Amino acid sequence: MALAKDRKPDDARPTGGATRSGGGNPNRARAGGKGGRTRPPTAVVANAQKRPWGLIAGALAVVVFAAAVIGYAVVQVNEANANKVEAVDEIAGVETYEYEGGNHVVTSVDYSESPPVGGEHDGVWADCTGTVYEVDIRHENAVHSLEHGGVWVTYNPDEVSDAEIETLAELVEGVNGRMMSPYVGLDSPISIQSWGKQLKVDTADDERLEQFADLLTFKAGEFPEPGATCERPDFLADPVVADTPSATTPDEGDAPVDGSATEGGESNG
């Protein structure tokens, strides 16, 4: 009696899915193309690289900011240059007087101009290192500062407001070669003077004040003693007030009261 063999599955018959002859899902067989095989999806590769928009925007912002800064600086320089003058006769209203270097005296001087702009003066000069005095300093000492190339801003305390005084102080403070003080009885609200030059104005915001100061502070050829110092610490510490006796004696001449400074490196000047 023959034993029945175990039946094996037909190797030619697929266990599932599409058949070679088109059995199963005919649409799938057609989609797969020849032989019923399916193709993997095609990957799409971008041809252009992604641009760094953040860096580009940052660079543009830097360029715009730099252009704005440069533009502002150019405007400021142009405005400053527009206000500059090259000669005294370009400043309307300046009065000019002829004075040689003055002699030193210890007495009061009857000056032709008020405030004075030259002539005899005290042996001690008033400190003019950007100094703002709150008192009417002795005029004879102030004239000596003008001889050294200083510019002296004065104002009538009865006619100028506190705000205007602050404006005037901004022109003087911190600038070597300049000083400022009230001047009792001044015939105009404000007067600015250097050796032999004077300008009187009505308001502290008059642009001619800055023009005068910028042009004539230590301007070569416009004062008798080039190279002389404006430092005077003894006078700064204890200013001599107008209409009071000199703080020097005839024997002291041009020597500093405290021996701390000399005029142009010489004992007399």
Side-chain angles (χ1 to χ4, degrees):
M1 179 175 177
L3 296 175
K5 294 182 180 180
D6 292 335
R7 296 185 65 184
K8 296 180 180 180
D10 187 354
D11 293 339
R13 179 182 297 174
T15 58
T19 65
R20 291 184 182 179
S21 61
N25 188 342
N27 293 329
R28 183 174 180 182
R30 285 195 296 271
K34 186 176 181 181
R37 296 178 182 176
T38 58
R39 296 179 181 177
T42 304
V44 179
V45 180
N47 294 326
Q49 294 182 347
K50 185 178 180 181
R51 295 181 179 177
W53 293 111
L55 292 177
I56 294 174
L60 287 175
V62 171
V63 171
V64 171
F65 177 77
V69 171
I70 294 173
Y72 177 78
V74 170
V75 170
Q76 293 297 104
V77 170
N78 289 340
E79 289 181 354
N81 290 336
N83 194 42
K84 283 185 177 180
V85 295
E86 300 296 331
V88 173
D89 57 12
E90 295 179 39
I91 307 174
V94 174
E95 298 290 343
T96 301
Y97 307 91
E98 294 295 331
Y99 282 103
E100 300 294 335
N103 296 325
H104 296 164
V105 297
V106 296
T107 59
S108 297
V109 179
D110 184 16
Y111 290 108
S112 300
E113 294 78 41
S114 182
V117 297
E120 294 182 337
H121 51 266
D122 196 272
V124 172
W125 60 95
D127 186 274
C128 49
T129 57
T131 314
V132 176
Y133 295 99
E134 296 182 355
V135 297
D136 186 357
I137 59 176
R138 192 166 183 268
H139 306 161
E140 290 81 4
N141 300 91
V143 171
H144 197 158
S145 303
L146 302 185
E147 189 182 44
H148 285 201
V151 165
W152 181 24
V153 178
T154 56
Y155 61 92
N156 188 326
D158 295 328
E159 297 185 20
V160 175
S161 68
D162 290 342
E164 288 186 297
I165 293 173
E166 288 296 324
T167 299
L168 294 174
E170 291 175 0
L171 184 63
V172 174
E173 287 181 318
V175 183
N176 189 29
R178 298 180 189 177
M179 62 183 181
M180 167 180 160
S181 70
Y183 193 97
V184 177
L186 182 61
D187 60 0
S188 68
I190 301 164
S191 180
I192 185 171
Q193 37 275 321
S194 62
W195 184 266
K197 307 287 189 300
Q198 187 171 71
L199 171 68
K200 295 184 177 182
V201 300
D202 294 328
T203 60
D205 59 0
D206 192 313
E207 67 177 9
R208 293 175 296 168
L209 291 171
E210 183 175 359
Q211 291 174 333
F212 186 105
D214 288 347
L215 177 66
L216 293 171
T217 301
F218 291 139
K219 182 172 175 58
E222 297 291 342
F223 60 98
E225 294 184 358
T229 181
C230 248
E231 294 182 1
R232 192 74 203 206
D234 55 321
F235 194 94
L236 178 62
D238 187 19
V240 183
V241 180
D243 300 324
T244 61
S246 171
T248 61
T249 66
D251 294 335
E252 288 178 307
D254 205 39
V257 172
D258 64 355
S260 62
T262 58
E263 179 178 357
E266 301 178 357
S267 60
N268 290 307

